[in-house]
Amino acid sequence: MYSNFEKLADDKKKRILTICIEEFADTGYEKTSTDTITARAGISKGILYHYFKNKKNLFIYVVDYCRKLIGDNIMAELQHVESEDFFNRVKEVVLIKKRVQFHYLKETELVTQTLLNPPQGMEEEIRSMLQKNIDVYSDQYLEKLIDRSLLKENATPDKVINLTMTILDQIAQKNLKAYQEKAMSFSEILEKIEPELDEYIDIIKYGALKRV
Amino acid sequence: MYSNFEKLADDKKKRILTICIEEFADTGYEKTSTDTITARAGISKGILYHYFKNKKNLFIYVVDYCRKLIGDNIMAELQHVESEDFFNRVKEVVLIKKRVQFHYLKETELVTQTLLNPPQGMEEEIRSMLQKNIDVYSDQYLEKLIDRSLLKENATPDKVINLTMTILDQIAQKNLKAYQEKAMSFSEILEKIEPELDEYIDIIKYGALKRV
DNA sequence: CACCTCATTGACTACTTAGTCAATAACATG
DNA sequence: CATGTTATTGACTAAGTAGTCAATGAGGTG
């Protein structure tokens, strides 16, 4: 399908992809100009259309590349999750996701952006493509590892997982955005936010209300 | 500033606004054509530019109109919140927000869309405009009404509020989207989802873990 | 070297679009 | 009614862009 592009030398491929990711992420699909891409990449317009046939195909290819890159990285990291305690495990999973997303910033921006808001006329392609990743690394993965006997009857595993992941994700995301501008490393940021995450986990574990 | 537009007859104003909201929400800022808007509204291109000077101003005006419409409606409804119990109060607030957002669907779509992803070159205008609404009707409003003596020490009010609102919002939103296609009314949908909301509230109140 | 095949170029087309402006219509006022 | 003022029109300009294609270059093979 895209063999013309794929058989290029790796560094050339990479250069073109990086530029496309930047342009699409920063400028959005509609406003990104293929003229700009080709000029920045130092290639001719003809060859870009030889590789990808049209702008839509190029965009989908690039987004899919990012999706795969991020997804594969997360999956690989998830192999090393080692916490025994359930809540620690959820925390570890969320933080792994965040670390990878932090590392592949532009790529993540493009993918989330596109999933939330697919350009007109490619809603189907995008949604079916990105759905491949959704929850591969969340609910199903964790639900196997939970010790139900510890939970109250009404606190079903899926709810506890959802609740915990949602709030940890929110807090981590909020702080990453805030600290990002100060050029801090991920582990520096992590140190700052971990106490807050633990406080939320405590509420979920033991409840907000005093015992009567 | 926009007196030329504002002194039009109400129904004409409304017709133009409605069409703009639809176009911008469905097609996005970049792809929305002022030609389409004027054609649909049955006005000339010249007069649109007479009213708003340029496309960017038109867009900001329309988004601000929606923001105000939704915000005012939520604020008005919030006057009637009556639950005494704190968690019920949070639930009521979230559901009021959702009901208004459900009622002004396109408007909400446009505003959330725009806040999340302002068109290039108007990030500042948009963010400062939309920030006016953020949390007017959430944290501060609720924090006054909470009875701290009921909460454990580590469960600070802001965390409990954030946790509860975040998860209720998520569940309500998910279900609204799913049921929306079946043309159900808001109160019909509400009946279906309320038990789930209460289950989450229970977890937050009393914790997920069995007492030992 | 001659020939073929495929990669690559970039000028070009066809189209869309934001924004303008001279002309005209509608209205107000003396 | 005459005259000035404001609302409205829509053809037009200028600029940008997706996608094409004839021409050229590069590499391989006999």
Side-chain angles (χ1 to χ4, degrees):
Chain A
M1 189 61 155
Y2 300 103
S3 51
N4 285 324
F5 176 72
E6 258 144 16
K7 71 185 168 206
L8 289 179
D10 276 0
D11 56 333
K12 189 172 183 183
K13 260 194 301 196
K14 195 86 179 249
R15 201 182 69 236
I16 295 173
L17 279 172
T18 306
I19 288 166
C20 289
I21 292 165
E22 248 185 69
E23 288 293 327
F24 281 132
D26 290 349
T27 326
Y29 176 73
E30 300 298 347
K31 256 235 162 161
T32 293
S33 156
T34 52
D35 284 343
T36 307
I37 291 174
T38 51
R40 284 193 56 197
I43 59 175
S44 74
K45 203 162 181 186
I47 201 64
L48 188 74
Y49 278 82
H50 177 61
Y51 294 151
F52 294 105
K53 189 163 161 122
N54 56 41
K55 190 181 169 185
K56 180 176 164 180
N57 281 6
L58 168 65
F59 182 74
I60 292 178
Y61 184 93
V62 170
V63 175
D64 197 44
Y65 167 84
C66 292
R67 184 216 102 231
K68 209 168 161 325
L69 182 73
I70 297 166
D72 288 355
N73 261 277
I74 292 177
M75 285 308 283
E77 298 268 2
L78 282 183
Q79 303 312 311
H80 311 128
V81 171
E82 51 190 10
S83 307
E84 289 295 326
D85 175 73
F86 168 72
F87 286 95
N88 284 337
R89 206 180 264 274
V90 176
K91 189 170 79 173
E92 236 186 295
V93 169
V94 170
L95 291 178
I96 282 171
K97 270 177 60 183
K98 290 293 150 190
R99 185 166 70 232
V100 173
Q101 290 174 0
F102 187 79
H103 188 244
Y104 294 107
L105 258 191
K106 285 277 172 229
E107 289 83 352
T108 301
E109 210 179 297
L110 179 59
V111 171
T112 52
Q113 180 62 250
T114 304
L115 179 59
L116 238 69
N117 218 285
Q120 247 198 329
M122 51 177 102
E123 290 84 357
E124 263 323 299
E125 289 98 325
I126 295 292
R127 240 178 271 282
S128 77
M129 179 190 79
L130 294 180
Q131 222 124 42
K132 286 182 198 163
N133 274 45
I134 291 177
D135 290 332
V136 165
Y137 44 78
S138 62
D139 292 36
Q140 288 95 339
Y141 171 78
L142 285 164
E143 212 161 324
K144 285 181 212 145
L145 307 163
I146 199 168
D147 186 351
R148 275 151 222 259
S149 66
L150 297 173
L151 299 180
K152 287 180 188 156
E153 225 173 279
N154 60 338
T156 55
D158 64 305
K159 285 203 194 68
V160 179
I161 292 169
N162 181 28
L163 183 57
T164 313
M165 290 201 68
T166 301
I167 199 69
L168 294 190
D169 198 278
Q170 187 210 75
I171 302 297
Q173 187 64 33
K174 185 189 76 189
N175 282 281
L176 280 177
K177 262 195 173 170
Y179 287 127
Q180 213 159 269
E181 294 143 17
K182 308 183 185 169
M184 289 168 73
S185 76
F186 186 82
S187 36
E188 284 171 322
I189 298 173
L190 194 58
E191 250 177 71
K192 296 235 176 202
I193 66 177
E194 209 157 355
E196 195 178 351
L197 300 182
D198 289 332
E199 284 162 20
Y200 275 101
I201 289 177
D202 255 32
I203 297 177
I204 297 173
K205 273 172 153 173
Y206 307 114
L209 296 183
K210 279 182 182 161
R211 297 193 183 186
V212 278
Chain B
M1 190 61 155
Y2 301 104
S3 51
N4 285 324
F5 177 70
E6 257 145 18
K7 70 186 171 207
L8 289 178
D10 276 2
D11 56 333
K12 189 172 182 182
K13 260 194 302 195
K14 194 84 181 251
R15 201 183 68 235
I16 295 174
L17 279 171
T18 307
I19 288 166
C20 288
I21 293 164
E22 248 185 68
E23 287 293 328
F24 282 133
D26 290 349
T27 326
Y29 175 73
E30 298 299 346
K31 255 237 162 159
T32 293
S33 157
T34 53
D35 285 344
T36 308
I37 290 174
T38 53
R40 283 193 56 197
I43 59 176
S44 73
K45 201 161 181 186
I47 200 64
L48 188 74
Y49 278 82
H50 177 62
Y51 294 151
F52 295 103
K53 189 166 159 116
N54 57 41
K55 191 182 171 187
K56 179 175 165 180
N57 281 5
L58 168 64
F59 182 73
I60 291 178
Y61 184 92
V62 171
V63 175
D64 196 44
Y65 168 84
C66 292
R67 184 216 104 229
K68 210 169 161 325
L69 182 74
I70 297 167
D72 288 355
N73 262 276
I74 292 177
M75 285 309 281
E77 298 269 1
L78 283 183
Q79 303 313 309
H80 312 128
V81 170
E82 52 190 10
S83 307
E84 289 295 325
D85 175 74
F86 167 72
F87 285 94
N88 284 337
R89 208 180 261 274
V90 176
K91 189 169 80 175
E92 237 185 292
V93 169
V94 170
L95 291 177
I96 282 171
K97 270 177 59 183
K98 289 292 150 192
R99 186 165 70 230
V100 173
Q101 290 175 0
F102 187 80
H103 186 244
Y104 295 107
L105 257 191
K106 284 277 172 230
E107 289 83 353
T108 302
E109 210 178 296
L110 178 58
V111 171
T112 51
Q113 180 60 250
T114 304
L115 179 59
L116 238 69
N117 219 285
Q120 245 198 331
M122 52 177 103
E123 291 84 357
E124 263 323 299
E125 289 98 323
I126 294 292
R127 240 178 271 281
S128 78
M129 179 190 80
L130 294 179
Q131 223 124 40
K132 288 183 199 164
N133 275 44
I134 290 175
D135 289 333
V136 166
Y137 44 78
S138 62
D139 292 35
Q140 288 96 339
Y141 171 78
L142 286 164
E143 210 160 327
K144 287 180 212 146
L145 306 163
I146 198 168
D147 186 351
R148 276 153 221 256
S149 66
L150 297 174
L151 298 181
K152 287 179 189 158
E153 226 174 279
N154 60 338
T156 55
D158 64 305
K159 286 205 195 68
V160 179
I161 292 169
N162 182 29
L163 183 56
T164 313
M165 290 200 68
T166 301
I167 198 69
L168 295 189
D169 198 277
Q170 187 210 76
I171 301 297
Q173 188 63 34
K174 185 190 75 190
N175 282 282
L176 281 175
K177 261 196 173 167
Y179 287 128
Q180 213 160 271
E181 293 142 18
K182 306 185 186 167
M184 288 169 74
S185 77
F186 186 82
S187 38
E188 285 171 322
I189 297 173
L190 193 57
E191 251 177 71
K192 295 234 177 205
I193 66 176
E194 208 157 356
E196 195 178 350
L197 300 183
D198 289 332
E199 284 162 21
Y200 275 101
I201 289 177
D202 256 32
I203 297 177
I204 298 173
K205 273 172 153 173
Y206 307 114
L209 294 184
K210 278 183 185 161
R211 297 190 182 188
V212 278

